[in-house]
């Protein structure tokens, strides 16, 4: 009998990408269900009872961790996360596997190898193992709730390709009437998400608005110079652009 799997992710393109990669890494695996959120993942698991569940950690309604609690040890669980250092630290303690977005083929092949070994040599669920898994999920849920409320990735379409931009690598954001320019370490991209909506999801200790149309990553700032009429200019590390600081936001740099 062929092994079966469920993929749960609120992003259709990422579900499609993972399904395609699994088809290459594990041709015998049958993806029997795809879920758009955690609640749907649990419902489809009960309906199809797949051998493996690939669960996005952050999903609307019911998170991947909460879905994993409901599924328990009835399937091999693999979390797919848009990099959460706390989550990865927890996963590294064993018991569960994880994949970091964007998923790399080599890393997926390692996961497939471990899953195949596990499915070929199933072990009875021992009370101690069950307890350890539940403790891990409890700890992971607490860590996610405490430290991952801010946006970790920005999704941008570049031609036919979906680009996942790590927020930590974003230098600045600049908006115009229709788009928001995302300038990051490796290039630039335009997204339709309004700047106002993005600001609400960013860590305020790292990103600050310095102009009605500009948000800057403080870690990218080289120095700030005073301008005329109580304005200022931000000079960036290793870049030629100069970002404006309007009078309304000059207080952020009052110590200069």
């Amino acid at each position: 009998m062929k092994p079966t799997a469920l993929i749960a992710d609120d992003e259709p393109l990422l579900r499609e990408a993972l399904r395609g990669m699994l088809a290459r890494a594990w041709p015998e695996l049958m993806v029997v269900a795809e879920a758009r959120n955690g609640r749907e993942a649990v419902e489809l698991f009960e309906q199809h009872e797949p051998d493996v569940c690939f669960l996005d950690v952050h999903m609307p309604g019911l998170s991947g961790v909460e879905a994993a609690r409901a599924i328990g040890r009835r399937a091999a669980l693999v979390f797919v996360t848009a990099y959460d250092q706390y989550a990865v630290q927890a996963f590294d303690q064993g018991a569960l596997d994880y994949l970091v977005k964007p998923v790399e083929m080599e890393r997926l092949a390692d996961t497939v190898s471990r899953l195949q070994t596990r499915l070929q040599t199933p072990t009875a669920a021992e009370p101690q193992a069950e307890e350890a898994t539940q403790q891990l999920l409890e700890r992971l849920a607490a860590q996610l709730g405490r430290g991952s409320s801010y946006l970790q990735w920005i999704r941008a379409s570049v031609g036919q390709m979906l680009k996942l931009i790590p927020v930590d690598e974003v230098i600045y954001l600049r908006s115009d009437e229709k788009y928001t320019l995302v300038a990051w370490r490796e290039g630039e991209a335009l997204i339709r998400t309004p700047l106002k909506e993005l600001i609400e999801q960013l860590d305020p200790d790292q990103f600050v608005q310095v102009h009605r149309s500009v948000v800057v990553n403080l870690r990218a700032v080289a120095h700030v110079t005073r301008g005329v009429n109580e304005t200022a200019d931000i000079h960036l590390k290793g870049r030629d652009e100069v970002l404006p600081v309007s009078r309304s936001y000059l207080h952020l740099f009052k110590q200069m």
Side-chain angles (χ1 to χ4, degrees):
M1 184 177 297
K2 291 185 176 181
T4 55
L6 174 149
I7 297 174
D9 196 308
D10 60 329
E11 175 54 61
L13 288 176
L14 296 182
R15 292 200 307 270
E16 180 180 348
L18 181 57
R19 187 175 66 246
M21 294 176 72
L22 284 169
R24 298 195 298 275
W26 196 355
E28 299 80 15
L29 183 70
M30 292 179 57
V31 177
V32 294
E34 294 187 22
R36 298 166 297 182
N37 54 60
R39 195 173 304 283
E40 194 171 87
V42 175
E43 291 173 355
L44 289 173
F45 173 80
E46 299 295 348
Q47 182 178 342
H48 296 278
E49 298 182 344
D51 302 303
V52 185
C53 294
F54 295 89
L55 303 172
D56 181 22
V57 171
H58 296 283
M59 290 187 288
L62 202 65
S63 73
V65 175
E66 292 168 321
R69 283 171 166 168
I71 295 170
R73 294 176 61 83
R74 292 181 291 167
L77 302 175
V78 179
F79 285 111
V80 186
T81 174
Y83 188 67
D84 184 301
Q85 60 177 330
Y86 301 106
V88 170
Q89 288 171 4
F91 296 145
D92 276 343
Q93 297 178 37
L96 303 171
D97 205 351
Y98 70 93
L99 294 167
V100 175
K101 297 179 183 177
V103 177
E104 296 180 351
M105 198 65 196
E106 185 176 355
R107 179 66 178 83
L108 178 62
D110 291 339
T111 296
V112 166
S113 178
R114 280 191 286 274
L115 289 169
Q116 290 173 331
T117 299
R118 174 169 174 172
L119 294 182
Q120 290 169 0
T121 56
T123 56
E126 300 176 357
Q128 290 181 338
E130 179 72 24
E131 184 179 353
T133 299
Q134 289 303 318
Q135 288 177 354
L136 180 63
L137 290 173
E138 294 290 342
R139 187 163 58 253
L140 177 57
Q143 289 171 331
L144 289 171
R146 186 174 61 243
S148 63
S149 58
Y150 299 121
L151 189 66
Q152 301 293 312
W153 296 81
I154 293 176
R155 296 178 172 89
S157 296
V158 181
Q160 297 298 314
M161 180 172 57
L162 175 68
K163 198 79 176 178
L164 292 174
I165 302 172
V167 168
D168 278 345
E169 296 184 9
V170 172
I171 309 298
Y172 64 87
L173 304 164
R174 186 196 291 267
S175 69
D176 63 14
E177 293 182 357
K178 293 184 178 179
Y179 299 98
T180 297
L181 170 71
V182 181
W184 88 103
R185 196 175 300 172
E186 297 181 9
E188 296 181 348
L190 292 173
I191 61 174
R192 293 182 181 274
T193 307
L195 187 63
K196 181 180 179 181
E197 186 175 322
L198 281 172
I199 293 171
E200 295 172 351
Q201 302 176 65
L202 297 173
D203 183 352
D205 290 333
Q206 184 177 358
F207 290 89
V208 296
Q209 186 165 15
V210 295
H211 187 275
R212 62 179 174 79
S213 62
V214 179
V215 168
V216 67
N217 184 345
L218 290 174
R219 295 172 184 169
V221 175
H223 62 273
V224 181
T225 57
R226 286 184 179 278
V228 296
N229 297 326
E230 298 185 17
T231 62
D233 293 322
I234 291 178
H235 299 260
L236 302 167
K237 297 175 183 175
R239 298 179 71 99
D240 295 330
E241 304 102 306
V242 176
L243 304 179
V245 180
S246 63
R247 184 183 302 177
S248 301
Y249 301 97
L250 188 62
H251 65 279
L252 297 171
F253 306 97
K254 62 182 179 181
Q255 69 274 21
M256 70 180 184

